[in-house]
Amino acid sequence: PSPWWTMRVKDWSLTVPFVTTVADFAFDHIDIGTMSYYFRHTARLVARQVDFAVFASDFQRKWGEKYYNFKNTRTIHHSADFVADNFTPTGDEAARVKAKYGLPDQYVLAFHPMYHKGITTILDAYSLDGAPLPPLVLAGIGTGHLNDDTPADDHIGDIRARIKGYVLGKDNRIWALGFVPEEDIAE
């Protein structure tokens, strides 16, 4: 698997069977700026080239067939398996993860808060004076450079600008954890 939707390709000429999975068409339902154009353009190229496409839901499969002309499609309902089927959370495991990241007793978690998931709306709510909100924890993809001044793309830059008045950390309402390893995700 590869992120074909970000390749910004102009044309493809594939001489081998091409099978792909398509999780969704989020770019058709939300505004993600100029990236939407690239997603749509590449999705159309993929639909013309693909021999077989697997979708994560019937809705997405029908959308792909109707708006992008995908042919020869199937649905395999998908749910990300972050933990083993027999995983049973315990108080001790929760305490371990809480201590590892120094988390408060209660918080709102925005996990993998990429721009298209509306994280700026959540941040705008946290910018309101006197809003009775628990601490906000930003973790996972897209949060690794929120605590530093590393040059970043527009998405990270926009989030940094929105939280400029805050000092990220334990004594404030917004925390940025960065990468979270798989063994800690469930807790």
Side-chain angles (χ1 to χ4, degrees):
S2 64
W4 49 259
W5 54 91
T6 62
M7 291 181 183
R8 301 180 187 183
V9 294
K10 294 181 179 176
D11 195 13
W12 283 351
S13 179
L14 300 174
T15 59
V16 296
F18 177 27
V19 177
T20 189
T21 58
V22 182
D24 62 41
F25 292 99
F27 46 85
D28 277 347
H29 306 287
I30 52 177
D31 179 13
I32 52 176
T34 57
M35 283 301 292
S36 292
Y37 166 80
Y38 293 118
F39 285 133
R40 290 182 184 113
H41 174 74
T42 305
R44 287 185 186 98
L45 290 175
V46 169
R48 285 198 306 261
Q49 290 284 331
V50 72
D51 294 293
F52 191 82
V54 177
F55 290 84
S57 73
D58 291 328
F59 172 83
Q60 298 299 336
R61 180 179 54 80
K62 290 174 186 173
W63 189 274
E65 291 171 348
K66 180 176 181 179
Y67 295 102
Y68 291 92
N69 204 30
F70 275 87
K71 309 279 189 208
N72 200 16
T73 65
R74 297 295 183 273
T75 302
I76 296 178
H77 296 281
H78 174 73
S79 176
D81 296 321
F82 289 118
V83 296
D85 290 338
N86 61 356
F87 175 78
T88 304
T90 66
D92 289 344
E93 180 64 8
R96 178 191 68 78
V97 173
K98 180 181 164 189
K100 179 177 179 179
Y101 298 100
L103 296 172
D105 288 332
Q106 295 182 337
Y107 56 90
V108 172
L109 174 64
F111 199 72
H112 299 328
M114 303 305 285
Y115 195 86
H116 69 279
K117 295 183 178 179
I119 186 60
T120 54
T121 302
I122 295 170
L123 290 171
D124 287 346
Y126 273 80
S127 72
L128 300 173
D129 288 334
L133 300 169
L136 174 64
V137 174
L138 307 172
I141 297 171
T143 64
H145 294 293
L146 290 176
N147 288 333
D148 59 34
D149 293 326
T150 303
D153 61 21
D154 291 344
H155 165 65
I156 297 297
D158 186 38
I159 291 178
R160 282 179 179 164
R162 287 175 186 265
I163 58 177
K164 188 174 182 179
Y166 298 102
V167 176
L168 296 173
K170 298 177 182 174
D171 298 325
N172 299 282
R173 293 195 307 161
I174 299 179
W175 302 17
L177 299 185
F179 174 77
V180 176
E182 187 169 332
E183 63 269 16
D184 294 344
I185 290 173
E187 289 294 346

